[in-house]
Amino acid sequence: MKIRKLWLLPILLLGLVLAGCSNKSNTKKSATALTKTQVVQKAKKSFKSGQVIQSVRLATDTSTQLVTANTIFGGNNGTIFHITNQTTSKGKTQSTEEWVNMNNVFINGSSTWYKAKLDSLSGHSYAELVNAIMDNKLILDPSSKLVKAYKMTRKGQTYTLTANLTDKTLMKNAIEPIIATVGQTSAQESVFRRILNYGKLKNMTVKMVVKNNKLSTFTVFVNLKLGKYMTARFGQSYGNFGSQDFLKVPTSVLNAKALPTTKSSKKSPK
């Protein structure tokens, strides 16, 4: 019996040592948890590629219209954008596909690619597109009001920041880059600007997820009220960061034809 007890003693001591090490390890892990400010700083690191969906939704009690620009962006020598535009109304959806390389836009028209200047066709420039998507201030340069409004939860190495704000300046700043780029024509952009000018800003929701010290997803929605029966929502949702670092315009697209122009002329009276 004494011999058995002598053998058990080292085993018990080893168990106590291992338990102590485990407690120290857990303490060390909890000590490395990031603060809210640190999480925001992690998200500020610039991203080279990814995917973003810009959207404008108009709704009444009886109908909804949704305009979206689903954009994949990336590339080595200047950012390239592959955009799928969709407009859904009364159960019907119209889609267009385009590539943007600097100020050149390539449009898919019935399986034939056409080339035009981005600013003359859409009403917005390549610089505005880069500013709206690559240099989003809500991510890269958030205001102190937004950072303060964030509430943080953590699950392992995944941090989620959420905020609900009613600050009109922040809401207008969030909507502006969406309006400047989501429209397919200058006329459509003008409609969106009238909505902003005459609508009543209600609130803005923001959600940021940082996983393993890198930005994983980011979403912002701004809600407006127009009159008694109509609402509008402007949104911008990011994801798939780092998935398109080497994005290139396909050769078949680069061989596009010049987009035909329509000239209107007045007929002389007979």
Side-chain angles (χ1 to χ4, degrees), residues 72-75 77-82 99-101 126 247-249:
I72 294 172
F73 59 91
N77 300 318
T79 303
I80 293 169
F81 302 92
H82 182 207
W99 288 83
V100 176
N101 183 6
Y126 176 79
L247 187 66
K248 292 182 179 180
V249 180

Side-chain angles (χ1 to χ4, degrees), residues 71 102 155 198 235 264:
T71 302
M102 300 303 288
K155 187 175 181 181
Y198 295 108
S264 58

